[in-house]
Amino acid sequence: MSGESAQTRTGPMQPHDFWQEIYPPKSFDIQAGYRDFFPASLGDGRQILLPIRQLADGKHALASLIVNQASFAVEDALATELAAKLAPYEPEVVAGLPTLGLTLASTVARKLGHSRYVPLGTSKKFWYVDDLSVPLSSITTPDQKKRLYVDPRMLPLLEGKRVALIDDVISSGTSILAGLTLMEACGIEPVAIGAAMLQTERWRQPLADLAPHWPERVVGVFQTPMLTRNGDGSWRRA
């Protein structure tokens, strides 16, 4: 099925239409050009439709995922596959990165058979301590100065345990780097890093710069490429 025929069959997509449905394998040709969505393929071949976000240069774009706006069916599918990919690392506790990573981390922890998970946060409570925090920036909120905190009361759940650090999307690697730096400040080295989507490969080098082994500990449900604009205005994988 070509990109154009897929869009015609699906019809114009509204913002609330995205990440709501799981399509059978090969419903959409991932090599075709698309105007408003990009079909991402899960490990078993099933597909979900992601909105295309044009970059400032006008020539490139990225596929976007917001897990806490996904349907329960999509969230469940992503969490089930991520839990299966993390299981070989035998994590004893899951730590979630705010904000969108918390939704996924909670569900993944359930899939792994855990009774709870540890949410990291950006809202400082009066019992938090600055020594257990690091600066945090986001690709979607670059002008906001935030800090990433771990609740001191949660440290006993993490110390000496096999920890999986989870975010919804790994893009530039900024949030994951903050999470790893915070874990290091707590004397914790995660055994694995999980995400629903690995957005291009931009995150790989920053993680390798932190430590060569980190990129090899990253697992994702699916990966999306950088997109380039075609002459007809559609977007295709670079």
Side-chain angles (χ1 to χ4, degrees):
M1 178 182 296
S2 69
E4 291 301 324
S5 62
Q7 290 194 74
T8 300
R9 184 177 72 89
T10 306
M13 295 191 67
Q14 301 301 315
H16 56 268
D17 290 332
F18 289 105
W19 41 71
Q20 298 303 303
E21 186 174 352
I22 302 175
Y23 295 87
K26 298 182 180 180
S27 293
F28 304 91
D29 180 1
I30 62 173
Q31 301 297 337
Y34 294 93
R35 296 185 181 277
D36 60 349
F37 67 81
F38 177 80
S41 299
L42 308 186
D44 60 5
R46 291 180 299 165
Q47 296 177 307
I48 61 174
L49 302 183
L50 307 177
I52 294 174
R53 308 299 191 197
Q54 180 177 308
L55 300 182
D57 64 7
K59 299 178 182 179
H60 298 89
L62 297 169
S64 173
L65 172 67
I66 302 181
V67 168
N68 66 357
Q69 294 180 6
S71 69
F72 296 141
V74 169
E75 179 191 339
D76 187 74
L78 296 176
T80 297
E81 187 161 336
L82 183 56
K85 290 189 173 184
L86 288 171
Y89 293 89
E90 300 181 339
E92 298 172 290
V93 61
V94 166
L97 282 163
T99 299
L100 300 179
L102 300 181
T103 297
L104 184 63
S106 174
T107 309
V108 168
R110 290 172 182 264
K111 298 290 183 182
L112 289 170
H114 298 175
S115 62
R116 65 185 302 172
Y117 82 112
V118 174
L120 305 181
T122 56
S123 176
K124 184 179 181 181
K125 311 303 181 185
F126 69 82
W127 60 87
Y128 286 11
V129 294
D130 289 337
D131 288 347
L132 296 180
S133 71
V134 296
L136 174 67
S137 62
S138 168
I139 191 171
T140 54
T141 55
D143 298 327
Q144 294 185 15
K145 294 182 179 180
K146 298 183 290 187
R147 294 190 70 82
L148 180 65
Y149 296 90
V150 60
D151 189 330
R153 304 172 304 174
M154 298 293 105
L155 276 181
L157 300 176
L158 298 170
E159 293 172 331
K161 301 294 179 61
R162 297 178 63 83
V163 176
L165 185 62
I166 290 183
D167 205 353
D168 64 326
V169 176
I170 301 181
S171 181
S172 64
T174 302
S175 295
I176 287 295
L177 287 175
L180 290 173
T181 303
L182 180 59
M183 291 293 98
E184 183 179 13
C186 298
I188 298 162
E189 182 173 300
V191 296
I193 301 166
M197 180 171 80
L198 304 179
Q199 191 182 63
T200 73
E201 294 277 346
R202 297 174 299 161
W203 54 271
R204 189 173 293 277
Q205 190 58 52
L207 264 64
D209 291 341
L210 184 64
H213 61 267
W214 286 126
E216 305 309 315
R217 296 189 189 182
V218 174
V219 296
V221 177
F222 60 88
Q223 184 164 0
T224 56
M226 183 70 72
L227 304 173
T228 57
R229 188 186 289 277
N230 294 323
D232 62 0
S234 64
W235 298 94
R236 187 184 303 270
R237 62 194 303 129

